[in-house]
Amino acid sequence: MEDTFKLADKSYRSRLIVGTGKYKDFHETKKAIEASGAEIVTVAIRRVNITDPNKENLLDFLDPKKYTILPNTAGCFTAEEAIRTCRLAREAGVGNMVKLEVIGDERTLFPDVPATLEAARVLVKEGFVVLPYTTDDTIAARKLEEIGCAAVMPLAAPIGSGLGIRNPYNLRIILDQARIPVIVDAGVGTASDSSIAMEMGCDGVLMNTAIAGAKIPILMAEAMKLAVEAGRKAFLAGRVPKKLYATATSPLEGVLA
């Protein structure tokens, strides 16, 4: 049976979600996204043009029929800014599914959780499919689910840091409690970070800098695709338990002397 995951009313085969920032140009962006196999692509509405047809437009390089374009509110520091940005994206015809980011600190780029909750309440009531970027706070994750968000997206580490999953224990609690998809967002640095997230049981991984900032972005995009697939298969297969002592590969029980 095909292994897919569902956001709102749509199913996806790829569990890797990629961003579109920090590439040298839109041509490189397109090639990297193709190599990643991603079906959902995030776009920072305040930074990348997808609304003005008179300027170079990212959608000239990415077919909206092939990809789900996920507008995000990167760069918003208040709930009001984030809500307004989401409304703008919907008016531009991008759709109702949005990645909600309300930043609380310029240096760490950690989210402002109370403002995120405030914006999520408004957007869900207005019919948006909300995917909120949040801390690895289990209570915040639960509240976002109760509001009606379609998924919860806890950070692995600060945005663009490449540090990988810093707090796997909180993430495990979120995974244990959540009844909506859990997508690791921010902090992935290399392919093994993606595999670890997927082996833990995360439904997906979202990244931008890890690919766009690599020495060879297109090759890293392919590596991330394979890592996410491998981690997911390992999770489904079920790893052997860890033991303090050795267990013989070929047991001697029942062997004649």
Side-chain angles (χ1 to χ4, degrees):
M1 186 172 63
E2 189 175 34
D3 177 43
T4 61
F5 85 110
K6 195 171 185 179
L7 288 175
D9 59 351
K10 188 171 181 180
S11 296
Y12 298 91
R13 295 182 301 277
S14 173
R15 293 172 180 270
L16 175 58
I17 304 172
V18 296
T20 53
K22 301 184 179 180
Y23 291 97
K24 66 180 182 182
D25 54 38
F26 284 158
H27 293 282
E28 184 178 67
T29 305
K30 179 182 179 181
K31 290 180 180 179
I33 291 171
E34 289 174 346
S36 75
E39 297 172 286
I40 305 175
V41 180
T42 70
V43 179
I45 296 297
R46 306 186 81 185
R47 297 170 181 164
V48 179
N49 177 42
I50 62 170
T51 58
D52 188 349
N54 298 315
K55 298 179 181 178
E56 187 176 41
N57 193 311
L58 178 62
L59 298 186
D60 292 334
F61 297 83
L62 299 178
D63 184 357
K65 295 180 181 179
K66 181 178 180 181
Y67 300 103
T68 294
I69 304 301
L70 179 62
N72 72 56
T73 61
C76 293
F77 285 82
T78 67
E80 292 75 16
E81 283 183 313
I83 293 167
R84 186 166 58 250
T85 301
C86 290
R87 289 169 176 165
L88 175 64
R90 181 157 67 180
E91 289 172 6
V94 180
N96 289 327
M97 190 160 72
V98 294
K99 178 190 171 186
L100 174 61
E101 293 183 34
V102 185
I103 301 301
D105 181 76
E106 290 188 22
R107 185 175 182 184
T108 64
L109 299 182
F110 284 156
D112 182 330
V113 173
T116 300
L117 290 166
E118 179 186 346
R121 288 189 186 96
V122 173
L123 292 170
V124 168
K125 286 181 180 178
E126 293 186 4
F128 285 93
V129 177
V130 181
L131 312 181
Y133 162 65
T134 184
T135 58
D136 55 6
D137 179 345
T138 58
I139 306 304
R142 188 175 67 203
K143 288 183 176 180
L144 287 164
E145 179 175 348
E146 290 171 351
I147 286 170
C149 292
V152 63
M153 305 176 76
L155 54 80
I159 292 173
S161 68
L163 289 172
I165 297 173
R166 295 294 85 198
N167 193 342
Y169 306 103
N170 273 16
L171 186 55
R172 287 186 186 280
I173 295 173
I174 292 172
L175 286 164
D176 182 61
Q177 294 183 349
R179 298 297 175 263
I180 55 177
V182 177
I183 302 170
V184 164
D185 179 17
V188 168
T190 191
S192 57
D193 298 330
S194 298
S195 285
I196 290 170
M198 299 308 297
E199 287 171 13
M200 290 177 67
C202 294
D203 295 277
V205 181
L206 189 154
M207 67 187 69
N208 186 179
T209 304
I211 296 175
K215 291 182 179 179
I216 308 177
I218 296 166
L219 184 59
M220 183 60 82
E222 184 180 1
M224 291 298 187
K225 173 187 176 182
L226 296 173
V228 168
E229 291 175 353
R232 177 63 180 176
K233 289 180 179 180
F235 170 74
L236 294 175
R239 63 158 293 146
V240 298
K242 295 181 180 179
K243 298 179 181 179
L244 183 60
Y245 294 100
T247 302
T249 303
S250 299
L252 296 177
E253 290 84 355
V255 177
L256 296 176

